[in-house]
Amino acid sequence: MSEPSVWQKRIAGEWHGRPSLFDATGTWCGFEEIRRSSDFVDGVTTYRMDGGLIGGGPLAGQFRLGAPFSFGVVDSDQNRVYTGPDFFGTGQPYGSFVDSHYYGPGWQVDLNTWNQVLPDGETQVYSSVLYQGWSVVGCFNGLYTRVPSRVDSLIEAETRNGSVPYILPTKEAGAYVGELELWGSDQKLRGTVSVRIELEPINLLRTRRTTTFQGALEREFTTETRRDGNRLFFEGPGAWGNAIGFGRASFQSVHLTDVWKIKGREFSIDAAPGMSAGRKLAVVYELSDGGQLDSVLHGLLEWQS
């Protein structure tokens, strides 16, 4: 193709971040200081990643490499094909979010990467869940920026906040609200959805949670959520499932009382050390009708007391 795809234009430039590494239990292990960029030259797209692992514990030997990453991409807004040598697989963009599944020979893991560009156009919410077969090995996640003047402050904040666990307000009733985009499985925009996640704390570990979708998607369900460390359990009556937190990101699998299912990630953007909760949630929900992906809902929610 003679021109880069819409997604390629969206992620142009060099992105800087310090995502945290977690093991399969959600225990924080260290940082991966990364600079990411991609070039579109004469119809060929090449991705480059440079940096290094800081810490890592028992995972350090697996995720510390002696050379930068580089891999080719068949650029497309439908199926982006990663052609190696360092990553092989595909990614599917849904507006400002891309869902990628690929294999990294150097890390010896399969990866499911979710990369979400926030409405400011200058911040990415990134996570890579790492697999050996169907078993989770670990997870990288964090924030990136491509604004040079913001790099130092972002790296400082990620260093302070990277290990903070995902915990929503436990004594304050309110709701996370916002206007999200709904994209069909055909990767076409269906419209916007007003989303409200209302929280009514029961005690420090239990919260009644009511989720409301209005607009291009109409749905409401209530579930009692129970927290056990970095694990969440959704215990009916409107939905059942669980979630695990890797730092500020909580990855959930939720089954509604009909054939619909939700695979989601909620990332607490501004969660920081201390006895408080974040006020901004970057969310992605993949909604399935039975075993078939129907749509992808994503965007930014903000807390209202």
Side-chain angles (χ1 to χ4, degrees), residues 9 65 74-75 170 186 208 284:
K9 293 177 182 178
L65 297 178
V74 178
D75 184 30
T170 56
D186 59 0
R208 186 168 295 105
V284 178

Side-chain angles (χ1 to χ4, degrees), residues 8 43 132 148 186 273 291:
Q8 185 61 37
Q132 175 70 41
D186 59 0

Side-chain angles (χ1 to χ4, degrees), residues 59-123:
L59 298 176
Q62 183 170 357
F63 296 110
R64 181 179 177 89
L65 297 178
F69 283 120
S70 178
F71 60 101
V73 180
V74 178
D75 184 30
S76 169
D77 283 312
Q78 295 300 308
N79 293 303
R80 300 173 61 78
V81 182
Y82 310 135
T83 60
D86 293 330
F87 291 111
F88 295 89
T90 65
Q92 287 72 41
Y94 301 89
S96 58
F97 163 73
V98 67
D99 183 355
S100 301
H101 298 256
Y102 52 99
Y103 183 75
W107 282 347
Q108 302 181 87
V109 290
D110 199 66
L111 301 92
N112 184 190
T113 296
W114 283 16
N115 205 338
Q116 177 185 12
V117 180
L118 294 184
D120 66 5
E122 306 298 345
T123 307

Side-chain angles (χ1 to χ4, degrees), residues 29-262:
C29 297
F31 297 107
E32 179 82 358
E33 189 155 346
I34 290 292
R35 298 172 296 280
R36 290 194 286 115
S37 62
S38 56
D39 302 317
F40 183 89
V41 179
D42 296 330
V44 177
T45 299
T46 303
Y47 272 66
R48 296 177 177 85
M49 293 169 49
D50 195 6
L53 188 65
I54 303 170
L59 298 176
Q62 183 170 357
F63 296 110
R64 181 179 177 89
L65 297 178
F69 283 120
S70 178
F71 60 101
V73 180
V74 178
D75 184 30
S76 169
D77 283 312
Q78 295 300 308
N79 293 303
R80 300 173 61 78
V81 182
Y82 310 135
T83 60
D86 293 330
F87 291 111
F88 295 89
T90 65
Q92 287 72 41
Y94 301 89
S96 58
F97 163 73
V98 67
D99 183 355
S100 301
H101 298 256
Y102 52 99
Y103 183 75
W107 282 347
Q108 302 181 87
V109 290
D110 199 66
L111 301 92
N112 184 190
T113 296
W114 283 16
N115 205 338
Q116 177 185 12
V117 180
L118 294 184
D120 66 5
E122 306 298 345
T123 307
Q124 287 185 17
V125 181
Y126 157 89
S127 65
S128 281
V129 181
L130 316 170
Y131 293 89
Q132 175 70 41
W134 286 25
S135 296
V136 173
V137 175
C139 177
F140 282 106
N141 68 50
L143 303 178
Y144 282 82
T145 184
R146 62 177 167 189
V147 180
S149 62
R150 290 177 54 193
V151 170
D152 289 345
S153 61
L154 181 135
I155 297 300
E156 181 181 354
E158 288 295 278
T159 302
R160 181 170 184 262
N161 302 334
S163 61
V164 173
Y166 165 98
I167 297 178
L168 301 186
T170 56
K171 286 190 174 181
E172 181 183 9
Y176 288 95
V177 299
E179 295 289 321
L180 275 58
E181 291 184 350
L182 181 69
W183 292 77
S185 58
D186 59 0
Q187 298 168 276
K188 295 180 180 178
L189 181 64
R190 291 185 182 174
T192 60
V193 179
S194 295
V195 174
R196 180 180 180 87
I197 301 175
E198 188 167 347
L199 305 181
E200 181 186 347
I202 300 170
N203 56 42
L204 290 174
L205 298 177
R206 288 183 175 271
T207 299
R208 186 168 295 105
R209 172 173 172 148
T210 299
T211 301
T212 304
F213 302 148
Q214 291 183 320
L217 174 65
E218 296 282 339
R219 190 87 199 212
E220 181 175 299
F221 56 93
T222 298
T223 183
E224 188 169 308
T225 63
R226 174 174 59 88
R227 182 173 63 84
D228 179 4
N230 64 325
R231 300 181 300 165
L232 278 180
F233 299 88
F234 303 94
E235 299 181 329
W240 299 82
N242 58 21
I244 185 169
F246 296 102
R248 293 165 292 168
S250 180
F251 297 81
Q252 61 181 234
S253 176
V254 177
H255 304 261
L256 305 187
T257 53
D258 51 19
V259 299
W260 285 82
K261 298 188 287 266
I262 300 175

